[in-house]
Amino acid sequence: MGSRRTLLAIAAVATSLAVVTAGCSGGSKAKPAANGGTSAATSQGASPTDTVAAAFLAAWQSGDYTKAGSMTDLPDKAGPRLKSVMESLAPKTIALKLGSQQNAPSSAGSTSASGSSTPGAPSSPATPDPLANAVHYGFSVTDTFDDGLTWSYNSTMSVLPPTGNGPALVHFASAMINPQLSAASNLKAVPPSVPVADRGGAPLSGTEHPSIASIITKLAIAKPQNGTQASLQIQFVDNNTGNQIPGSNTIQLGAPNATSGLQLASTIDSKIQTAAENALKAYPNSGMVVIKPSTGEILAIATNNKNNLKMAYTATRAPGSTFKTVTATALLLGGMQLSDTADCTPTAKVGTETYHNDEGLKNGFTGATLLTAYEQSCNTSFVNATIGHNLPMDSLSKTVHDYYGMNQPWDMGVGSATYCTGGALQVPPADTHSLLAASAFGQGMITMCPLTMASIAATVATGQFHQPVLIPGFQAPAKAQPLPASVDQNLQTMMRGVITNGTATSLAGISPTLGAKTGSAEPNATDPTDSWMIAMDPKNDIAVSALVLNGGFGNSAAGPAIAAMMKAAGLS
């Protein structure tokens, strides 16, 4: 109780009970509005209930939900609940204004099973009404959203007077946040929805393409770019599902038919999307992304994973040898040539760690160069070259950021995210030479998904990173500098050699300008390796990546899946 007494003492010395307008402290908290205030008692003789009512609204308005909760009779539940509702609604600003006291303390009233009072109902002597002596206040709420849209309404709060050494406390219930809000519901501001079409204008259906159902839903409420009238709907949604509660009230803000007759074009190519989805049917727990390298437009995102329909762009898996494309970039930028020696030894020891090749190269091979090591996917060659050429600890992290646009948030048109990592970096800087060595062949702390690896292949195809997007012409935030022309030409030569002379035999004969890189990555110490493949074709302006969890060698599962997609889509 000590902290509450202190809080009351601080509040009681205030000469005004105006609701403060202090700024928010980050996150998705609404900013306070400039005109917040109170018309409740503002004299020096304010009662304890007046004081706590104003202080509660001040904390709510400022986004300090923990503080607001501490002034209630449910301190452990009120703050998190208030935060959940406000972050779901997500107004830009909020203004709360305390009104006058609506009643004097009374013994009238009863409490329902939900904890809300029923004015005028007699209290049972056996179950004393906790709100019998509560003081009730009206207050107004004004939430402001983009484009100047506002939602204003009135609500009430009950304040329990001090008892013994305890301070006055706000009686918390969800209906105080909004009179129509139940404990099982939440508030959500929903932009108007529009039909989403593929790049040819044909409607896209989440039922027909479940891999992109959630993407279609997000695109459907993307803000139109053609100057339509501002519009929002305030909905009461289920806490668990996020879906609107059947029969609940909907509050329309702005123009009710702002998007009537409109359609949002996407970059998805229905033919390629269908081909990708069909190609993955033979491979459970798989994902594939297809990109147009010259623009970064995403042509297809497909997943065959019943537990994660977003696997193609949310997986966080080691990319294995496909990442040697980035390591080769760092080595070429450092001055290494394709013909330079890159010893493919049976093992390579760095610090206390010993690194091996895949089974087919367990004995290594003699005379390896950077080109042949890449074509044959020799792990020890890349360990030896990385350590032997003294690449800096952060070289791979910097290379993906500076030339491949990673280690920074992307926005494909559905909101900002750093894809395919549990943190902020897909490729963290190495802090030991052992970790740098593991990173050189796509293990260590590196995490990727088909989306990010397809983007790497697309960057090699054109020599310039274009952040993947889902809306034509969308201005993506992630940027990177072009690859030097000589480096990019060498990378294309290396990828082409993987098909003609190396490990990607499943893609042979599809296109004379197609290049690829296989990958086999160990997800952990016990499960079978993941199967990876990236491919790019500069002439046909196509890039693709596929991942099959626990699928074995890259040429065994991911490669055949890409081959099937390209043939079915007419890309061969």
Side-chain angles (χ1 to χ4, degrees), residues 333-347:
L333 289 168
M336 196 171 182
Q337 303 298 315
L338 295 187
S339 58
D340 286 351
T341 298
D343 291 332
C344 183
T345 52
T347 61

Side-chain angles (χ1 to χ4, degrees), residues 161-188:
T163 56
N165 293 327
L169 294 172
V170 173
H171 173 65
F172 184 80
S174 291
M176 180 182 61
I177 304 174
N178 180 277
Q180 299 179 59
L181 189 68
S182 72
S185 62
N186 214 331
L187 293 171
K188 189 175 182 180

Side-chain angles (χ1 to χ4, degrees), residues 262-354:
L262 295 181
Q263 178 174 275
L264 179 70
S266 76
T267 63
I268 298 295
D269 185 309
S270 289
K271 183 178 181 180
I272 298 177
Q273 177 70 31
T274 299
E277 290 169 347
N278 289 339
L280 295 181
K281 287 182 177 179
Y283 305 101
N285 303 321
S286 58
M288 182 184 295
V289 173
V290 187
I291 293 175
K292 186 178 178 67
S294 61
T295 61
E297 293 175 349
I298 297 171
L299 304 177
I301 300 181
T303 296
N304 177 17
N305 187 325
K306 63 181 180 180
N307 296 318
N308 181 10
L309 290 177
K310 303 177 182 179
M311 184 188 128
Y313 57 100
T314 63
T316 54
R317 308 290 280 202
S321 292
T322 57
F323 191 77
K324 289 172 183 172
T325 307
V326 174
T327 307
T329 304
L331 291 167
L332 291 167
L333 289 168
M336 196 171 182
Q337 303 298 315
L338 295 187
S339 58
D340 286 351
T341 298
D343 291 332
C344 183
T345 52
T347 61
K349 187 172 183 179
V350 179
T352 60
E353 299 294 330
T354 300

